[in-house]
Amino acid sequence: MSEKSTSSGSDEDVDPESAQHVDVGGVLSKWTNYIHGWQDRWVVLKNNTLSYYKSEDEREYGCRGSLCLSKAVITPHEFDECRFDMSVNDSVWYLRAEDPEHRLQWIESIELHKAESGYGSETSLRRHGSMLSLTSAASALSATSSSSFKKGHRLREKLAEMETFRDILCRQVDTLQKYFDSCADVVSKDEFQRDREEEEDEEDFPNTARPDGECNHNNNGSKEKLFPPASPKGMNGIDFKGEAITFKATTAGILSTLSHCIELMMKREDSWQKRVDRELEKRKRVEDAYKSAVNELKKKSHYGGPDYEEGPNSLINEEEFFDAVEAALDRQDKIEEQCQSEKVRIPRLSPVPPGDAYSTIGTHRYAMKVEEMVQNHMTYSLQDIGGDANWQLVIEEGEMKLYRREVEENGIVLDPLKATHSVKGVTGHEVCHYFWDTAVRMDWETTIENFNVVETLSDNALIVYQTHKRVWPASQRDVLYLSAIRKILATNENDPDTWLVCNFSVDHENALPTNRCIRAKINVAMICQTLVSPPEGDKEISRDNILCKITYVANVNPGGWAPASVLRAVAKREFPKFLKRFTSYVQEKTAGKPILF
């Protein structure tokens, strides 16, 4: 892990409430998928965000993914001391450090960034106060509106209140109308009385009234009553009765319209209520389906993750393990069939040294070990199946027979396998040559992902490193082995021409074990004997007169924790397919070519 401060400027410019963040970067192994497994990635912790890149050199191309730490949950693995998981909702990153100490450093750095980012602290509340206030206000408004609707303050109750207001308004109108009627009656009586008095005065005291309507005194000292000019519309020129009738009619019209609106609104409320009920029912169904889908997704989202792969604490049971392996092998078979149909094999010139070059022991540092392995295989691998060897016949298909002897050590299946097969038209030298030659390995071997020659010891001995294709949920395997091809010298003239290829595991400083793969151990031998039947007359020996008898023995320690039943089932299924595929390839390559003894 590397750390770098991201703060800048003088101390006076730094906000005392803001924490000083430190960038953290380093290499972590990230679980990519069940095919590629753990891959090294450059991981950066910055600005409350955890990001990863394919490598440190590719940072300029942008990150491949990031997680916000505000809601991230860090879970150290229960059994793997180097692993920890980062999860945000349904998104999970599986990460592994190179050792427990580095894992602890990463976890502490992530927790420190979460704490310094201010989420959930008093500082963050002060810093984001306005936003929180707006959010709170909106939430309160939403809660009030929804609660009011739920508590029954609905349109019907509001309409009932409007009906009450209508009754009150009608009573007020009636009261006003009575008042206006009373006022109109008083004005009418006053006008009638005044007209009557004016007529009486004009008859008794003929005099000219002053235009201003002031009172005059006669000669006897009596006072005259002088009235102002009467208006035909009543007091102050207002027709109170007409205005009252108009007000009542207008108010009645408003109330009638309002009643009509209320009736329409009530009808609309019934219609909308039915719609709301239907929408609520749909929403409930959708929410139930969403919850169900989320639960299923949570169950399946991590299926294929590291917790389900091969291991002592795998969450997948033996039956599911077998089904997954079988399904993966079926997919590989289909892909291989398609590739074979589309593949155009490129002829490769593979020079074959003379047989004498393969009969020498050699002088390299593994020479004595190779000689020992060759002698052991010639002694024990060619023995008959009977006796105390306890070989069990598991498959018989034509000339091919497959035997197995069940052996377990510390719970790991170490069953030796032995196959015998007879192939027409090829020699033992040709079969062993194509089995040993790395130049044509990928033409017939479909289980290898990649391989390389680590060291060439001699013309007939190589050290090879190869990784095999992953078959999930089993872990990926690799193997480092010495491969030697030898011609076995005949002890008498009746012995058949015999060739042998032996592959056995070794160690090498240029191919050390890694965390990505489980290192398997192998001890394999292919022994091929050429049987020649005499041709008719003076004819030359042709491929029709040749028969190759193959004995293939494999002792494999797969390592890991794969269930025994799965390993045995896979071996029974794949071993015959491998032998048939290889021998068919040899027949195809040698057809029409000179015989190589």
Side-chain angles (χ1 to χ4, degrees), residues 205-218:
F205 306 100
N207 195 7
T208 303
R210 296 181 181 181
D212 56 2
E214 295 179 353
C215 294
N216 290 329
H217 293 273
N218 56 16

Side-chain angles (χ1 to χ4, degrees), residues 2 4 18 34 91 128 135 191 208 276 292 334 365 413 497 573:
S2 60
K4 181 177 67 175
S18 64
Y34 67 84
S91 178
H128 306 96
T135 306
E191 289 180 348
T208 303
V276 170
S292 177
K334 290 181 180 179
R365 64 183 183 278
V413 175
D497 188 46
R573 164 184 166 145

Side-chain angles (χ1 to χ4, degrees), residues 444-566:
W444 58 268
E445 179 59 274
T446 61
T447 65
I448 294 178
E449 184 174 87
N450 55 67
F451 80 97
N452 65 285
V453 177
V454 179
E455 183 180 354
T456 300
L457 300 174
S458 65
D459 290 339
N460 62 346
L462 306 169
I463 295 180
V464 180
Y465 171 77
Q466 65 188 31
T467 57
H468 291 265
K469 294 178 181 177
R470 176 139 191 230
V471 181
W472 191 87
S475 299
Q476 190 171 21
R477 260 71 175 178
D478 64 359
V479 60
L480 178 68
Y481 61 92
L482 188 152
S483 181
I485 181 172
R486 289 285 301 277
K487 178 181 180 181
I488 307 302
L489 298 176
T491 56
N492 59 72
E493 60 181 11
N494 295 325
D495 290 342
D497 188 46
T498 303
W499 286 76
L500 176 145
V501 175
C502 63
N503 300 335
F504 57 92
S505 293
V506 294
D507 296 324
H508 199 282
E509 60 182 5
N510 293 336
L512 299 175
T514 65
N515 292 330
R516 291 185 60 249
C517 299
I518 294 177
R519 180 63 58 87
K521 301 293 183 181
I522 65 170
N523 183 5
V524 174
M526 177 173 282
I527 305 172
C528 300
Q529 297 174 314
T530 304
L531 304 179
V532 181
S533 60
E536 297 180 359
D538 296 333
K539 292 182 180 180
E540 294 183 356
I541 297 176
S542 66
R543 292 194 176 275
D544 294 334
N545 305 117
I546 299 173
L547 178 69
C548 180
K549 184 178 180 182
I550 300 174
T551 302
Y552 186 79
V553 179
N555 294 272
V556 180
N557 182 349
W561 299 269
S565 61
V566 176

Side-chain angles (χ1 to χ4, degrees), residues 273-460:
Q273 186 61 45
K274 292 179 181 178
R275 287 191 180 185
V276 170
D277 292 340
R278 287 195 298 268
E279 291 299 325
L280 290 175
E281 183 64 26
K282 289 181 180 178
R283 178 177 178 178
K284 186 177 182 302
R285 289 197 300 267
V286 172
E287 287 178 348
D288 293 341
Y290 172 76
K291 291 179 181 178
S292 177
V294 168
N295 291 333
E296 290 296 324
L297 183 62
K298 287 181 178 179
K299 292 179 181 178
K300 296 181 179 180
S301 60
H302 310 311
Y303 193 81
D307 291 324
Y308 288 85
E309 71 171 342
E310 172 191 349
N313 305 296
S314 176
L315 300 181
I316 191 171
N317 59 44
E318 187 170 329
E319 183 177 355
E320 292 173 333
F321 195 103
F322 177 79
D323 292 341
V325 168
E326 191 173 39
L329 291 174
D330 289 339
R331 287 194 297 271
Q332 286 189 4
D333 289 344
K334 290 181 180 179
I335 294 173
E336 181 60 27
E337 289 177 3
Q338 183 177 1
C339 292
Q340 290 294 334
S341 62
E342 298 175 355
K343 182 187 297 183
V344 177
R345 289 200 175 107
I346 302 174
R348 292 185 175 88
L349 297 177
S350 181
V352 182
D356 294 340
Y358 292 128
S359 60
T360 58
I361 296 177
T363 58
H364 53 83
R365 64 183 183 278
Y366 288 103
M368 299 308 297
K369 181 66 175 178
V370 172
E371 186 63 22
E372 179 186 350
M373 299 298 292
V374 169
Q375 295 302 324
N376 286 337
H377 283 298
M378 290 302 298
T379 302
Y380 299 106
S381 299
L382 292 178
Q383 287 182 345
D384 292 335
I385 302 302
D388 299 330
N390 295 322
W391 289 101
Q392 301 175 5
L393 179 64
V394 291
I395 292 179
E396 182 175 6
E397 295 181 4
E399 295 292 332
M400 186 181 66
K401 296 180 180 179
L402 176 64
Y403 302 87
R404 179 180 65 202
R405 191 170 66 241
E406 293 189 0
V407 177
E408 287 191 27
E409 183 177 324
N410 297 326
I412 299 178
V413 175
L414 304 176
D415 294 354
L417 295 174
K418 182 175 182 178
T420 60
H421 193 26
S422 297
V423 183
K424 293 183 178 180
V426 296
T427 65
H429 188 182
E430 292 169 334
V431 173
C432 287
H433 167 71
Y434 286 109
F435 184 71
W436 179 79
D437 188 6
T438 57
V440 297
R441 179 71 51 84
M442 300 303 289
D443 287 347
W444 58 268
E445 179 59 274
T446 61
T447 65
I448 294 178
E449 184 174 87
N450 55 67
F451 80 97
N452 65 285
V453 177
V454 179
E455 183 180 354
T456 300
L457 300 174
S458 65
D459 290 339
N460 62 346

Side-chain angles (χ1 to χ4, degrees), residues 24 44-51 65-70 113:
V24 178
V44 176
L45 181 59
K46 180 180 179 181
N47 296 334
N48 195 44
T49 302
L50 189 69
S51 308
S66 61
L67 285 178
C68 180
L69 300 181
S70 59
H113 263 248

